[in-house]
Amino acid sequence: MNHYTYNIINKTNGKYYIGMRSSEVNPVEDIGINYFGSSMNKELKEELNNDKSNFIYHIIKTYDSREDAYKDEERIHQKFNVSKDPMSYNLINSGHPDRHGIPNSEETRQKISNTLK
C-alpha cells in the first residue's frame, strides 16, 4: 500500500488543495491520472470536472504507514491554516483519526453541514 500527501494547484487562480491518500497504485501513477483529490469543496469539484488539465498535481511526501500520512497532513494543514486561507480549497483543517469522540467546534460543524448540502 502507498500512502502520500499531495497538493493540487489551480494554474489559473493559484488556489490549492492539500490532502492525503492511501492507494494500491504508485503515487506518480495515481494523482492527476486516476485520482483527483477527495475535496468536498463544490468550487474545486466543478473546476476539476470542467478541466482536470488546468491543475498541477504534486506529491508532497510518501510514508510507510497511513497513520504517518494522516499525522503529516494534519501538521501541514495546521502550519498553513488551510481552512482560513482564502487561496485554499480545503474547507477544514485535517484532524488526526484518533480524534474520534472529541466534539467538533460549532464552526467546524457548520462547515461540514454546508459542504454536505
Side-chain angles (χ1 to χ4, degrees):
M1 186 68 74
N2 298 284
H3 314 282
Y4 63 98
T5 49
Y6 61 89
N7 190 6
I8 299 173
I9 304 166
N10 186 320
K11 292 189 267 187
T12 318
N13 62 20
K15 290 183 82 170
Y16 67 93
Y17 177 80
I18 296 173
M20 69 80 51
R21 174 153 163 89
S22 294
S23 172
E24 296 288 335
V25 180
N26 184 309
V28 297
E29 298 169 351
D30 190 34
I31 189 71
I33 299 168
N34 297 313
Y35 181 73
F36 300 93
S38 59
S39 177
M40 297 298 291
N41 183 303
K42 291 177 185 177
E43 177 186 5
L44 175 58
K45 285 178 144 184
E46 184 176 308
E47 290 170 0
L48 282 166
N49 283 336
N50 289 337
D51 187 2
K52 290 176 178 60
S53 68
N54 199 38
F55 290 82
I56 298 167
Y57 306 92
H58 178 255
I59 299 160
I60 298 171
K61 187 174 178 182
T62 58
Y63 307 86
D64 292 330
S65 72
R66 185 171 178 84
E67 178 76 12
D68 289 344
Y70 267 125
K71 286 179 185 177
D72 207 32
E73 178 193 36
E74 182 177 18
R75 181 193 63 78
I76 295 166
H77 280 199
Q78 296 303 320
K79 179 178 179 178
F80 295 103
N81 198 9
V82 295
S83 67
K84 301 287 187 205
D85 184 352
M87 292 303 291
S88 170
Y89 289 111
N90 291 82
L91 299 172
I92 60 173
N93 288 344
S94 175
H96 193 271
D98 291 342
R99 192 174 181 277
H100 293 274
I102 299 172
N104 289 323
S105 69
E106 180 58 36
E107 179 184 9
T108 300
R109 286 196 302 271
Q110 188 62 45
K111 284 182 179 181
I112 293 169
S113 175
N114 291 341
T115 298
L116 297 174
K117 288 181 183 174

